[in-house]
Amino acid sequence: ILMFARDFEGLTFDETAEKIAAFQEASQIPLLIGADEEGGTVARVSACPQLREKRFSSPQKLYRQGGLEAVLADCREKDELLASLGINVNFAPVADLSTDPGDFIYDRALGRGTEETCQYIAAVVEQMEGDGMGSVLKHFPGYGPNRDTHTGSALDRRPLETFREEDFLPFQAGIQAAQGGSAAVLVSHNIMQAVDPERPASLSPAVYALLREELNFQGPALTDDLAMKAVTQYAGRENRCPAVLAIAAGCDMVVTTDFQTQIPQVLAALEDGSLSPERVEEAAA
């Protein structure tokens, strides 16, 4: 269950913790309860004044003020707050490289070069794992200078070598730091022209193959929200269900606000054979 600020509205701290505990009690298998608490512009929990007096600062601001030490102190505090509410996965850190303030992703990235970003990602993932908090490295294969995929498709024209020499490296650093297997990787909806010029990355078998084979990632691969325009436009043209396309491509966990429509369509695809049970079993495992 991925929770947004709207899920905390009007609830006290204790009521929020009780709500999340009720989710766990209602489930036969332990649930992953997530929230996007990056700090800065994306802070679903600390943006609610009843849950924290002040919104968490962005990693970029913290790094500028006190380097990695400040970032890690903030990370510990963040993990403690989320865990006390019953949230066990933070959809962070942002592993995208961006040094141009004009980029859509810049405010959410560290805003530094490859080496510093790799050090930052490795340290934060290690800290989160030590705190018992699941991490989500995003947005694979690297957001780069692309436009916002909430509102439409984004074509990334950069050559594959650029990704190999730059964008993939912070993801590799995070994957290697999570020795206990506590990191997931979230795949963006950007279209990688060099790899699959047709499909958004989140729906592309070729992009998941890169993640598995080149980065040797064995953990869960997640999609960005499949209700975003970049995906719904593509799926609409193909007349296909986004969740079915994503799972068939190699995704292990579908992220979507449209789950009430998507789940029955996934079950129907299993029934009619357009989605293989083996792929679903692999994703679940």
Side-chain angles (χ1 to χ4, degrees), residues 111-210:
R112 304 282 168 144
T114 311
E115 194 176 333
E116 282 176 287
T117 302
C118 287
Q119 288 168 352
Y120 153 72
I121 292 294
V124 166
V125 167
E126 198 174 316
Q127 180 67 54
M128 290 173 74
E129 184 158 270
D131 295 340
M133 184 61 58
S135 59
V136 178
L137 302 164
K138 57 189 190 185
H139 307 79
F140 187 80
Y143 212 94
N146 295 288
R147 55 177 281 192
D148 181 4
T149 50
H150 288 81
T151 53
S153 64
L155 178 63
D156 195 325
R157 294 186 168 89
R158 294 177 297 162
L160 185 53
E161 275 317 300
T162 300
F163 287 93
R164 285 179 172 141
E165 290 166 11
E166 297 172 13
D167 296 68
F168 287 173
L169 302 183
F171 289 94
Q172 278 176 318
I175 290 164
Q176 285 161 7
Q179 294 304 317
S182 64
V185 171
L186 182 146
V187 182
S188 81
H189 302 323
N190 294 341
I191 296 169
M192 278 183 90
Q193 189 175 46
V195 174
D196 186 342
E198 299 298 320
R199 300 175 190 84
S202 56
L203 308 181
S204 169
V207 173
Y208 289 100
L210 276 176

Side-chain angles (χ1 to χ4, degrees), residues 20 26 43 48 83-84 101 103 109 124 127-128 130 162 166 172 194 221-222 253 261 268 284:
I20 292 172
C48 304
S84 66
D103 290 346
V124 166
Q127 180 67 54
M128 290 173 74
T162 300
E166 297 172 13
Q172 278 176 318
L222 283 59
M253 193 179 294
T261 309

